Amino acid sequence: MLAVHLESGRVEVRREPVPRVPKGFARIRLLSAGICSTDLELQRGYYGFSGTPGHEFVGEVTDTGGGDKKWIGKRVAGEINLACGKCEWCARGLGRHCPKRTVLGIVKHPGTFREFLTLPIANLHPVPAKLSTELAVFIEPVAAACEILDQVKIPRETQIAVLGDGKLGLLIAQVLQAHGALVHLLGRHKEKMELVERPGITAELIGKNLPEASYRVVIDATGSVEGLRASIAMCQPRGTVIMKSTVHGLVEIDSAPAIVNEITLVGSRCGRFEPAIRMLTSGKVRVDALISDRFPLDRAQEAFRRAATKGVLKVLFDAG
Amino acid sequence: MLAVHLESGRVEVRREPVPRVPKGFARIRLLSAGICSTDLELQRGYYGFSGTPGHEFVGEVTDTGGGDKKWIGKRVAGEINLACGKCEWCARGLGRHCPKRTVLGIVKHPGTFREFLTLPIANLHPVPAKLSTELAVFIEPVAAACEILDQVKIPRETQIAVLGDGKLGLLIAQVLQAHGALVHLLGRHKEKMELVERPGITAELIGKNLPEASYRVVIDATGSVEGLRASIAMCQPRGTVIMKSTVHGLVEIDSAPAIVNEITLVGSRCGRFEPAIRMLTSGKVRVDALISDRFPLDRAQEAFRRAATKGVLKVLFDAG
């Protein structure tokens, strides 16, 4: 089968044997996979990654290694954290934080940019018939956006600032709007923000002066060093800043205003798939306009180049 | 009257007229005042401060400017934020965050290191008869420690790390222990930590390797750049780091582990006086051993030098 391979920043397409199916796992034929900013960071050499990246996907189950056969032929998405299932974290339903976990396409488990992948059956979610494969690729990133609602109580009509108009920022704005919040989306690209503007989402180009101490909730989805600092400055006393995008290396923050204003900073990562599937199926979160391009797996180098191009949003691998 | 004056890092004792009493205010004769780390920072020139510092005190009300006479002769402590009383924050009972506030001895309201001071009557709290003046000077810093319990739900027997064995760290350890938590106090000074060791407070000298991802709640009371970073590393996934001590200038943090582990960072500052008065009066928080020295106001230079000396804890001005 074909598999994309990353090594020292180089993207290669290799031929590999189809993966075997460990007990409790499913083998899944890839239908579509999305390139995420994290994949571009892996390419840049963060985490010393080498192997097959990719963690957003939809596929069809072809084998359950003698396990439950009802999954075979099902179109599925899958949670990316492979938990041990035995520790305290797993017992609390928080396998996403299992200290022994591997992570699909990120930590010690080969990713989705290959013709066949494997995941524990416990990680799979059937994709509803009325949700297309391309849109369902967004279940994982929409789940990451929905995670905010699991972590922080946000009353309806709360004024929220979302800082950053990348893929994640555009999804977060929609998820929060669907939840009933009044979203101010602040970014540098009018044409990207227009894709999600609607009643409840007001877009604004970031000027020199950001509004100070103005929002009860601020989401940093900038992926930039300045983003977190700006988010703290924009947050009201006793308000909450959600840290949604990682920056590699050390980030300088001015801790004094966070302390004087008693601001809460909440780190936020992966989320549950159920609310994301509901949001996408109901059309409350619309992602079709966020697909910039599609490539077959054997054009992976081109796909990675395209995904890293300024102004480009989601690039998909089509393997259906 | 005598008043301590800070200007460009110089401590001077001046003679000044007794302050007039604005409507709604009380004039208070100083009995005792404490030098806080913030005062030493003001001396170092942070915030461009010049004037009379000091915000921890006990005094006797001598005049209410024609207002409620029942306060006259009362021994009082006082909240340090002078709020406008009219804005949304004040309406929510959070005058501590009123954007128009001045702050006793810190922002635009002369402090407590003088023979007579003024504060709004609304800020005053009578000191219970059985609480001595010297111990009652600690009401303000103990309130700052108690603020943690107002911000974060901490179940009994939660294992908590308190990082830092300065005055604030020693008070926080006691407040959390009184609340029922199991406190691990980590510091660099065995002799300081011994002052508060008791069942429920285990002290440990900080070694080279701090325990990683081990505590559900970590309090950073170090006042150092490294403290916040270490606190994040010591915190369990989904845990909480309380940022209790400000560091001036920018603090470098590694945001990736905070996000990957979904850690919540909570800025924490001043607190309500009521629980602090209860904790001190009941003897649950013991502060007598934390008093290192006492000086009259006219030896202010000496008092500031002493307070800045390594190993010294609380230095008081006695004006009774």
Side-chain angles (χ1 to χ4, degrees), chain B residues 3-297:
Chain B
V4 176
H5 198 88
L6 272 189
E7 180 104 45
S8 317
R10 266 206 327 278
V11 178
E12 290 175 359
V13 182
R14 296 183 178 176
R15 289 219 158 261
E16 285 181 3
V18 168
R20 62 180 197 82
V21 188
K23 196 168 163 350
F25 277 62
R27 185 191 290 139
I28 300 154
R29 185 172 64 84
L30 185 70
L31 296 173
S32 186
I35 299 181
C36 164
S37 303
T38 303
D39 301 317
L40 300 175
E41 294 188 341
L42 295 178
Q43 191 194 4
R44 287 187 206 111
Y46 296 122
Y47 311 107
F49 182 88
S50 84
T52 297
H55 54 274
E56 302 173 355
F57 79 99
V58 171
E60 185 188 310
V61 177
T62 59
D63 193 335
T64 52
D68 194 341
K69 285 200 181 349
K70 78 159 197 255
W71 285 95
I72 292 177
K74 283 239 163 73
R75 206 165 50 116
V76 294
E79 303 218 20
I80 74 172
N81 296 285
L82 290 80
C84 77
K86 290 169 194 160
C87 71
E88 180 204 344
W89 295 98
C90 292
R92 284 169 57 192
L94 285 170
R96 304 198 287 283
H97 290 291
C98 168
K100 290 185 183 156
R101 73 186 181 276
T102 59
V103 185
L104 180 66
I106 301 174
V107 183
K108 292 180 185 168
H109 190 83
T112 63
F113 300 161
R114 47 184 177 150
E115 286 183 283
F116 289 91
L117 61 126
T118 62
L119 263 188
I121 291 173
N123 285 38
L124 302 183
H125 293 260
V127 174
K130 62 177 176 175
L131 185 59
S132 79
T133 293
E134 280 200 343
L135 303 191
V137 172
F138 286 83
I139 292 172
E140 198 280 332
V142 170
C146 290
E147 174 71 349
I148 295 168
L149 299 173
D150 269 2
Q151 293 180 286
V152 182
K153 263 194 197 152
I154 299 180
R156 282 177 60 82
E157 309 209 341
T158 303
Q159 301 246 358
I160 296 188
V162 175
L163 208 58
D165 56 11
K167 296 183 285 292
L168 190 55
L170 300 181
L171 295 179
I172 291 169
Q174 293 188 74
V175 163
L176 294 176
Q177 183 267 354
H179 175 71
L182 302 173
V183 176
H184 292 219
L185 175 60
L186 296 145
R188 299 196 188 280
H189 309 88
K190 205 163 179 303
E191 69 290 356
K192 287 186 185 178
M193 295 193 287
E194 276 170 0
L195 300 173
V196 299
E197 263 190 298
R198 68 187 69 162
I201 302 181
T202 318
E204 210 173 308
L205 280 171
I206 292 177
K208 271 193 186 155
N209 299 312
L210 287 164
E212 265 181 58
S214 305
Y215 296 93
R216 199 172 280 197
V217 179
V218 182
I219 320 283
D220 172 28
T222 60
S224 76
V225 177
E226 300 80 26
L228 184 54
R229 217 146 62 207
S231 298
I232 292 171
M234 287 168 63
C235 187
Q236 281 184 3
R238 290 269 180 133
T240 301
V241 171
I242 311 277
M243 304 187 287
K244 201 65 216 184
S245 60
T246 49
V247 177
H248 288 274
L250 296 173
V251 180
E252 286 190 325
I253 64 163
D254 192 353
S255 68
I259 291 170
V260 170
N261 293 328
E262 297 195 313
I263 287 170
T264 296
L265 309 170
V266 180
S268 180
R269 196 176 49 116
C270 303
R272 295 181 299 119
F273 273 29
E274 294 84 350
I277 292 171
R278 280 198 300 273
M279 291 242 182
L280 283 163
T281 308
S282 66
K284 284 185 178 166
V285 171
R286 297 196 295 262
V287 296
D288 39 349
L290 273 56
I291 301 171
S292 297
D293 225 331
R294 299 160 183 83
F295 292 87
L297 279 174

Side-chain angles (χ1 to χ4, degrees), chain A residues 220-293:
Chain A
D220 173 28
T222 59
S224 76
V225 177
E226 301 79 26
L228 184 55
R229 217 146 62 205
S231 298
I232 293 171
M234 285 168 63
C235 188
Q236 281 184 5
R238 290 270 180 132
T240 302
V241 171
I242 312 276
M243 303 187 288
K244 200 68 217 182
S245 58
T246 47
V247 177
H248 287 276
L250 297 173
V251 180
E252 286 190 324
I253 64 163
D254 192 353
S255 68
I259 292 169
V260 169
N261 293 328
E262 297 194 314
I263 287 170
T264 295
L265 308 171
V266 180
S268 179
R269 195 175 52 113
C270 303
R272 295 180 300 117
F273 273 29
E274 295 83 351
I277 292 171
R278 280 198 300 275
M279 289 241 181
L280 282 163
T281 308
S282 66
K284 282 184 178 168
V285 171
R286 298 197 296 263
V287 296
D288 40 349
L290 273 55
I291 301 172
S292 298
D293 226 330

Side-chain angles (χ1 to χ4, degrees), chain A residues 22-189:
Chain A
K23 194 166 165 351
F25 277 63
R27 185 191 290 137
I28 301 155
R29 183 171 65 82
L30 185 70
L31 296 172
S32 186
I35 301 181
C36 163
S37 304
T38 302
D39 302 316
L40 300 175
E41 293 187 343
L42 295 179
Q43 190 192 5
R44 287 187 207 112
Y46 296 121
Y47 310 110
F49 181 88
S50 84
T52 297
H55 54 276
E56 303 173 356
F57 80 100
V58 173
E60 186 188 309
V61 177
T62 58
D63 194 334
T64 52
D68 194 342
K69 283 199 180 354
K70 78 159 200 254
W71 285 95
I72 293 178
K74 282 238 163 75
R75 205 163 50 114
V76 295
E79 303 218 20
I80 74 173
N81 296 285
L82 290 81
C84 76
K86 292 169 194 160
C87 70
E88 180 204 346
W89 295 99
C90 291
R92 283 168 58 191
L94 285 171
R96 305 197 290 281
H97 290 292
C98 168
K100 290 185 185 158
R101 73 186 181 275
T102 60
V103 186
L104 180 65
I106 300 173
V107 184
K108 293 181 186 167
H109 190 82
T112 63
F113 299 162
R114 48 184 178 150
E115 286 183 285
F116 289 90
L117 61 125
T118 60
L119 263 187
I121 290 174
N123 284 40
L124 303 183
H125 293 260
V127 175
K130 62 177 176 174
L131 185 58
S132 78
T133 293
E134 280 200 344
L135 302 192
V137 172
F138 286 82
I139 291 172
E140 198 278 334
V142 171
C146 289
E147 173 71 349
I148 295 168
L149 299 173
D150 268 3
Q151 294 180 286
V152 182
K153 263 195 196 150
I154 298 181
R156 285 177 58 83
E157 310 210 341
T158 303
Q159 302 246 357
I160 296 189
V162 175
L163 209 58
D165 55 12
K167 295 184 284 293
L168 189 56
L170 300 181
L171 295 179
I172 291 169
Q174 292 188 73
V175 163
L176 295 176
Q177 183 267 354
H179 175 72
L182 302 173
V183 176
H184 291 218
L185 176 60
L186 296 145
R188 298 194 188 280
H189 309 89

